[in-house]
Amino acid sequence: MSEHTAQSTSQIVAEGLCKYYGQFTAIEDVNFTVDQGSITAFLGPNGAGKSTTMKILTGYLAPSAGNASIAGYDVYEQRLEASKVLGYLPENGPLYPTMTPSSFLRFIGETRGIKGAALKSALDRVAEQCQLGEVWHKAIHKLSKGFRQRVGLAQSIIHDPKVLIMDEPTSGLDPNQIRIVRQLIKDLAKDKTILLSTHILQEVEAIATRVVLISEGRIRFDGTPSELTEHAGLEDRFYELTKTEGATA
Ligand code: ADP
């Protein structure tokens, strides 16, 4: 066990988050922290509350109750500071189909206030990190889904954030594209803290150093992948923890 407190290294904090849509509870009392340098899989079946939680953590959606912070900045009280240290890859990110990766990423960089030599070096960095060289000047609508996802990833890291939140980053990709995107995520984790949502069990084994499992809007498990599978296989544990009533962590 390490000596440090969770607070000193937590880059993402969700504290008592609740979201109600009328009578419907999308998430209830969601608490977890993500430590610096980890790749945390936010795992759960469809409809579990992953996107809702991530939209709250990234400041796109106000919670009905609770608090969220990124790198120590409250997502609502210190919105601007939080947005500077955070990159967000939404599930179907807005890409401008007629633009090229080059013009789109330049535009995103400019809207983030990056200029001149710093913008050029940011564009060179993301082109290299996301391996976009061969498609740099092709229209986005002509690219494969895998390349489009890499352009989305590039926009989320153009400002070199410390924290990266990704909603289902490999969803809808073919096996080769999945491998490439997972490797990119692992490379990015060398200097970033990453939270990624997924409903795919293999993603946990392939990439995660930590798992937070959500089902029906409630956290059911929070620990390492090996703790999750200590007593049973991943599929059995997932089933046990996501079946409707009586599930405990
Ligand atoms: P996940 O990302 O895990 O698939 P979501 O966070 O998208 O789950 O959704 C959690 C639950 O909240 C689902 O039952 C979904 O139908 C519901 N939900 C999400 N957004 C809304 C909304 N705007 N209005 C009403 N219900 C919603």
Side-chain angles (χ1 to χ4, degrees), residues 193-210:
T193 301
I194 297 181
L195 176 69
L196 61 91
S197 70
T198 184
H199 64 279
I200 304 162
L201 291 175
Q202 280 170 322
E203 199 103 299
V204 173
E205 289 170 318
I207 210 172
T209 55
R210 173 107 182 283

Side-chain angles (χ1 to χ4, degrees), residues 163-184:
V163 179
L164 196 49
I165 293 185
M166 295 185 272
D167 201 345
E168 303 267 358
T170 63
S171 157
L173 302 185
D174 72 30
N176 282 333
Q177 294 167 342
I178 289 175
R179 270 173 73 105
I180 293 169
V181 169
R182 282 184 185 155
Q183 190 55 51
L184 280 172

Side-chain angles (χ1 to χ4, degrees), residues 91-162:
E91 190 172 3
N92 295 302
L95 293 177
Y96 294 80
T98 56
M99 290 177 110
T100 62
S102 165
S103 57
F104 171 67
L105 294 166
R106 174 173 294 277
F107 165 69
I108 296 290
E110 283 168 352
T111 59
R112 283 206 170 263
I114 311 171
K115 299 186 192 104
L119 181 57
K120 182 171 184 328
S121 103
L123 290 168
D124 289 347
R125 173 175 50 79
V126 297
E128 157 101 29
Q129 281 178 307
C130 300
Q131 297 157 38
L132 291 171
E134 65 184 276
V135 299
W136 196 240
H137 296 296
K138 287 189 181 159
I140 288 172
H141 70 90
K142 292 190 178 152
L143 306 185
S144 66
K145 181 131 201 300
F147 269 116
R148 284 206 301 274
Q149 188 66 331
R150 278 145 70 174
V151 175
L153 199 52
Q155 70 76 28
S156 73
I157 58 168
I158 189 90
H159 55 308
D160 202 13
K162 313 209 288 194

